Amino acid sequence: IRDEVMIPAMGDRWERFFPFIATLFFFIAINNLIGLVPIFPGSGNTMGNLAVTLGLALITFTLTIFNGNKHYWAHILWMPGVPIFVRPILTLIEIMGMFTKPFTLLIRLFANITAGHIIILSLVGIIFLLGENGQSIGGTIGGTVIAVPFLIAMNFLEIFVALLQAFIFALLSALYIGEATEEAH
């Protein structure tokens, strides 16, 4: 996280936000991996809940807003070097962009985690569909032969996606905060 996310995104300001970004990464990664275990006490798809991803995105948004420096706010509200008649339009676009960033964070995490779970449930459903809900033993065996290899492959892909989405959420959060804290050059 430090070498691949924090230092490239924030430069020498990385130490101040490292605890938040590292916690964010591990929280998302661990919850995603726990959600993949089918028989775990309360094994819920935590990141497949919009309230959880919204909460994480709002925390990142709040940190970005409150840590934004004068340079950041000048470029959001009244861009230097832009013709006067264009500034109101660009200001509106920039303000919309401020609210779009956390929205994309929450939707990206939610959609990618939920999509994998839906595919796995669909593959399990093939077993019941071909077995005609227990009426056909041959269909159940055929559905199992078809679905199980795909389920195993999908679970490995889900592990990769779980870790990748944690990394992407942490990276984008670091980029957004790094953009707000960047000094004028």
Side-chain angles (χ1 to χ4, degrees), residues 51 66 68 76 102 120 136 141-142 164 171 180:
F66 286 113
I76 294 287
I120 288 175
S136 168
I141 292 170
L164 180 66
L171 175 65

Side-chain angles (χ1 to χ4, degrees), residues 116-166:
H117 285 71
I118 290 171
I119 291 171
I120 288 175
L121 288 173
S122 299
L123 290 171
V124 170
I126 288 174
I127 297 170
F128 293 101
L129 180 70
L130 294 178
E132 298 174 12
N133 293 327
Q135 300 298 318
S136 168
I137 300 289
T140 302
I141 292 170
T144 303
V145 168
I146 292 170
V148 168
F150 287 110
L151 282 168
I152 292 169
M154 192 62 202
N155 273 314
F156 282 115
L157 184 62
E158 278 281 276
I159 291 169
F160 173 71
V161 168
L163 298 173
L164 180 66
Q165 288 305 313

Side-chain angles (χ1 to χ4, degrees), residues 2-23:
R2 185 192 72 190
D3 293 340
E4 299 297 325
V5 173
M6 299 300 296
I7 293 174
M10 295 185 181
D12 59 350
R13 301 173 317 279
W14 70 272
E15 289 180 9
R16 180 174 172 202
F17 298 101
F18 180 74
F20 169 69
I21 300 296
T23 302

Side-chain angles (χ1 to χ4, degrees), residues 28-160:
I28 294 170
I30 290 169
N31 278 301
N32 283 344
L33 293 174
I34 287 174
L36 293 176
V37 179
I39 306 170
F40 194 78
S43 71
N45 180 9
T46 310
M47 296 304 144
N49 184 341
L50 275 174
V52 175
T53 57
L54 174 66
L56 296 174
L58 285 177
I59 293 169
T60 299
F61 177 70
T62 304
L63 276 172
T64 304
I65 296 299
F66 286 113
N67 287 295
N69 58 21
K70 183 175 75 171
H71 173 71
Y72 173 72
W73 287 109
H75 278 78
I76 294 287
L77 299 175
W78 206 247
M79 303 98 216
V82 175
I84 298 291
F85 64 92
V86 178
R87 286 183 183 180
I89 298 167
L90 285 180
T91 299
L92 181 62
I93 292 170
E94 288 291 333
I95 289 173
M96 286 178 12
M98 273 182 10
F99 291 100
T100 303
K101 288 176 184 176
F103 182 73
T104 58
L105 277 176
L106 82 94
I107 292 297
R108 178 181 291 112
L109 181 58
F110 169 77
N112 283 305
I113 298 305
T114 303
H117 285 71
I118 290 171
I119 291 171
I120 288 175
L121 288 173
S122 299
L123 290 171
V124 170
I126 288 174
I127 297 170
F128 293 101
L129 180 70
L130 294 178
E132 298 174 12
N133 293 327
Q135 300 298 318
S136 168
I137 300 289
T140 302
I141 292 170
T144 303
V145 168
I146 292 170
V148 168
F150 287 110
L151 282 168
I152 292 169
M154 192 62 202
N155 273 314
F156 282 115
L157 184 62
E158 278 281 276
I159 291 169
F160 173 71

